[in-house]
Amino acid sequence: MNEKELILTSLLDCRRVDIYTNPSCLTIFQERIFQDILKRRQDGEPLQYLLGETEFMGLPFHVNPDVLIPRPETELLVQSILFLYREQTCSVKIADLGTGSGNIAVSLAKNINSAKIKAIDISPAALNVARNNAKRNGVADSINFTRQDIFKFFNDNNSFRSYDLIVSNPPYISQQGMRQLPRDVKHEPVIALYGGDDGLEFYYELINGAAQLLKDSGILALEIGEDQRIAIAEMFAVQKETFFLHFIKDFAGRDRVAIAQKAPVTMKEKIANLDNKLKQ
Ligand code: GLN
């Protein structure tokens, strides 16, 4: 469906067939709403915000301007994790840091039966959206949503070596990148996008923190910006805990996901083989 059809069918209850065969199917009132929505779209508001809806990993998600709109690159991150944990039967303790709309936590909970997830975000408004999405997809019992800053999460000594998996799609746009955002993206929350001067602020914290909070052989799974591979590989290299690190490319050949297993490394082949499996 094109954008016009989506707006008319989702928001104004039009039947798709009427859009072309019965152009006067809208009341004057509906026509006014339609023109208003069209105007907002022309001003660059993302369609997903106008519809209040999007799809991620085949599941429905509510979205509004308090949360980042889930992206296809992030599906690659979730699919990588699912491939590694698909056959897992014993409980998997997961942390999703910067959960936003809850798309990562909800789709992991939906696909890994034994998942116990802690999902944090600094924004109470984002957590409301995420909680709704967990309910909507029937996985509210598997996810504990907590308002917390990523930096504070790593200072919690009780969590020392307690997670099997830490996943994050952190804000990673640099100061310079923020000045060149596409028009639609300017409508998304700055706190979900801005990753400090160089865009890498959260990765320092995530890599050092995960070394402390992951169990032996635990996995850190990160989405990264397309030009960040070298900088991120360097951060892993200076980290004193040993990680086996592998980057996964998207279909356009850009490195978009980093998967790292803490020592002792037990899944080397499986991780290195992810690219092939995901593109089959
Ligand atoms: N976890 C959410 C997503 O992947 C939000 C990420 C963020 O706000 N940076 O879309």
Side-chain angles (χ1 to χ4, degrees), residues 250-266:
D250 64 14
F251 288 92
R254 294 171 294 220
D255 294 291
R256 296 312 308 270
V257 170
I259 301 282
Q261 185 175 30
K262 187 174 162 181
V265 179
T266 55

Side-chain angles (χ1 to χ4, degrees), residues 56 67-71 74 96-104 121 169-171 191-193 223:
F56 181 81
V67 297
L68 195 79
I69 298 166
R71 304 284 204 279
T74 313
D96 171 23
L97 308 182
T99 197
S101 64
N103 54 326
I104 297 177
D121 204 287
N169 172 22
I191 50 163
L193 297 168
E223 181 171 322

Side-chain angles (χ1 to χ4, degrees), residues 57 78-86 107-108 111-112:
M57 294 292 293
V78 171
Q79 282 162 348
S80 307
I81 297 168
L82 293 183
F83 180 72
L84 298 176
Y85 285 94
R86 210 167 29 199
S107 50
L108 289 178
N111 288 287
I112 307 173

